[in-house]
Amino acid sequence: MNARRLIAWLSALAAALLFTGCGGSSDDADATVSVMGRKSDLNKSYMTDIFQQYEQATGNTLRVIAYEDADFETSAEQAFANGDAPDVFLHFHNADLNRFDAAENFCTLNDADWVDDLTDSARAYCEDKDGNVLGLPFWENSVSGCYYNKTILDSLGLKPATTQAEFDMLCQTLADIGYTPICWPADGCTWMYQFAMDPIFADDPALLEKLNKNEIAYAHIPAVTDMVQWIADAADKGWFGRDYMDIGWGDISSVMSSGDAVMTFIWDTWFYTDFAADGRYTKEDFALMPVFMDTADGGTYEGGNLNMMMVNKNSAHLQDALDFLSFCAQPEHYNQAFDGISTVKCFKGQTTNIQSHMVTDAAVSIAANERVSTAASKIVGYSAEDMASALESLLLGRTDVPGCVQLMDEYRLRQAGVQSAEDN
């Protein structure tokens, strides 16, 4: 093991040993329930609030195991392998969940007393391919779409799009008069592609099943090629601007607040957590329309990606862990925790959260065009980082559209641990 890897391993081990208990001692051997997750996730105000509520109301002690974000997946995987799995595990329903063998390690929670209180979209996100509820979605719930500067559009006499053709025309019009239509953060940002992929598979579950059984590949699905072609064409036409390959997460705020770009594909909570109004425009200048990337003519919105509280079925404190989830899912408890938090509700009884004007103003469009997050959670082998890597090869001219789709398939199969027949 080289020095850098040794230091990272020792840091992860130290993080695992340092847990915070919201009122309980960090070395309390009598802790009732252990909760494992990313450090930044567990430090969210609504998480620390619900932990404190639970301990004060029950007299029980939580043992919170917080791994540094960069080490979380590998460190948590090692904990499970070593027999140190927690009672409650926080994870998103994405490709990395496959590391933890959900069927083997976690309870299905279909009969939990709180399931009927989940909103339809929150429940759908937490279901596996067989419709089993994997966890309690105790998290901020966002709506992802195309957020646009309505002040700029209004000043130009332009309107938001409702079809792919209208969106393409809008982008070209903005480019022709000197605006960068879309802030496309190609330097390390990876979420944009799943927005386009969701309609392909959310609208056709049979297609998703065929892909996951390796009966077909991305290359056999015309809509996937259409998406890749649209991205290539948009870049060539200047719709992403000139320096989009150098725009990363930390740059989006300044690009959008300055008006250097008119639109970006992102989510509403970003405007309340990461958008710094240090330019000409504030969040009040923005509105929401669907994402258009040539995979759904009416566009699409992605429902929230939610952190789930999952229960270890092999836990020595199984009932305590289930009781903890039930506590979190009580309206008086989650409403206190999410008081003033900008989020679409996950629970039908959620009343204290704030919904952005962007989402409420677009409610009719969202109702017609929203899909549950599907690509990241239900395509076996899907990796946002691999998608970005394949598209980067295209955008840098290292491959063409068919070659990019082929790379997407190769990466998907590799992630899934499946060897394609052509490679044998």
Side-chain angles (χ1 to χ4, degrees):
M1 181 181 292
N2 63 35
R4 181 177 294 179
R5 287 173 64 94
L6 178 61
I7 291 170
W9 182 83
L10 290 173
S11 297
L13 179 62
L17 295 174
L18 293 174
F19 44 76
T20 57
C22 298
S25 171
S26 63
D27 58 358
D28 188 345
D30 298 323
T32 304
V33 176
S34 58
V35 182
M36 180 184 289
R38 291 176 181 80
K39 184 176 181 180
S40 66
D41 292 347
L42 295 169
N43 285 337
K44 296 284 190 182
S45 63
Y46 44 84
M47 298 302 296
T48 58
D49 186 283
I50 199 66
F51 293 162
Q52 185 173 21
Q53 284 190 63
Y54 173 78
E55 292 190 330
Q56 290 179 346
T58 66
N60 296 331
T61 301
L62 292 172
R63 183 164 66 97
V64 180
I65 306 167
Y67 289 115
E68 293 293 340
D69 291 19
D71 304 316
F72 172 69
E73 301 294 352
T74 54
S75 298
E77 187 176 16
Q78 190 62 51
F80 275 77
N82 291 343
D84 296 325
D87 304 313
V88 175
F89 185 53
L90 268 70
H91 203 284
F92 291 88
H93 194 179
N94 57 26
D96 281 317
L97 186 58
N98 294 326
R99 296 171 181 250
F100 301 97
D101 194 348
E104 180 67 23
N105 287 310
F106 303 114
C107 296
T108 54
L109 302 168
N110 305 347
D111 298 327
D113 54 7
W114 42 261
V115 168
D116 287 343
D117 190 35
L118 298 179
T119 63
D120 291 344
S121 61
R123 174 169 179 161
Y125 180 84
C126 296
E127 290 180 340
D128 66 13
K129 62 183 178 60
D130 298 316
N132 294 310
V133 177
L134 298 177
L136 174 71
F138 197 90
W139 200 242
E140 59 194 47
N141 191 359
S142 59
V143 175
S144 296
C146 178
Y147 287 82
Y148 66 94
N149 191 317
K150 63 181 180 181
T151 302
I152 291 177
L153 289 195
D154 288 347
S155 72
L156 298 171
L158 299 174
K159 295 181 179 180
T162 60
T163 67
Q164 184 70 51
E166 290 178 2
F167 185 75
D168 291 349
M169 185 179 299
L170 175 62
C171 288
Q172 192 58 54
T173 300
L174 288 168
D176 288 344
I177 56 180
Y179 285 88
T180 297
I182 303 168
C183 174
W184 186 268
D187 183 14
C189 295
T190 62
W191 60 80
M192 300 84 74
Y193 313 107
Q194 69 193 48
F195 297 166
M197 298 281 277
D198 282 347
I200 301 172
F201 299 101
D203 296 355
D204 192 345
L207 190 69
L208 176 64
E209 185 175 3
K210 288 180 180 179
L211 182 73
N212 284 339
K213 289 181 177 179
N214 296 307
E215 296 174 358
I216 59 172
Y218 286 146
H220 301 128
I221 304 172
V224 174
T225 298
D226 290 344
M227 174 197 75
V228 176
Q229 186 68 61
W230 184 89
I231 293 171
D233 291 344
D236 288 343
K237 294 173 182 176
W239 294 356
F240 301 156
R242 288 176 296 191
D243 58 350
Y244 66 95
M245 295 300 297
D246 298 319
I247 300 294
W249 171 257
D251 304 307
I252 306 171
S253 181
S254 60
V255 170
M256 300 308 295
S257 66
S258 66
D260 286 348
V262 179
M263 301 177 281
T264 195
F265 299 163
I266 206 158
W267 46 92
D268 58 308
T269 54
W270 176 83
F271 284 92
Y272 294 84
T273 58
D274 296 274
F275 180 66
D278 52 4
R280 180 177 179 181
Y281 302 101
T282 72
K283 64 178 180 291
E284 302 305 320
D285 291 296
F286 289 87
L288 173 61
M289 64 175 149
V291 165
F292 294 94
M293 293 172 67
D294 211 19
T295 61
D297 188 60
T300 188
Y301 302 94
E302 183 190 45
N305 288 282
L306 307 174
N307 224 339
M308 304 182 295
M309 292 183 178
M310 306 174 69
V311 174
N312 176 6
K313 66 165 62 175
N314 305 304
S315 168
H317 305 288
L318 178 58
Q319 190 57 53
D320 291 326
L322 292 169
D323 290 344
F324 170 66
L325 263 65
S326 292
F327 181 93
C328 295
Q330 293 300 309
E332 62 269 28
H333 302 149
Y334 61 64
N335 273 318
Q336 176 176 319
F338 284 96
D339 187 16
I341 301 294
S342 176
T343 174
V344 176
K345 62 185 183 180
C346 287
F347 303 97
K348 295 173 184 175
Q350 201 164 352
T351 59
T352 58
N353 57 300
I354 298 170
Q355 283 205 200
S356 74
H357 69 87
M358 295 169 279
V359 169
T360 55
D361 289 348
V364 173
S365 178
I366 293 169
N369 298 296
E370 185 180 35
R371 277 89 173 177
V372 66
S373 181
T374 301
S377 61
K378 293 184 169 61
I379 294 176
V380 175
Y382 184 91
S383 163
E385 289 74 21
D386 284 348
M387 286 289 295
S389 179
L391 268 297
E392 181 181 77
S393 293
L394 173 71
L395 295 171
L396 291 177
R398 297 170 182 162
T399 190
D400 57 10
V401 168
C404 179
V405 176
Q406 182 178 344
L407 281 175
M408 289 163 53
D409 271 319
E410 291 174 2
Y411 294 159
R412 175 181 59 84
L413 291 168
R414 183 186 64 191
Q415 278 286 346
V418 177
Q419 181 113 28
S420 72
E422 293 151 352
D423 292 334
N424 288 331

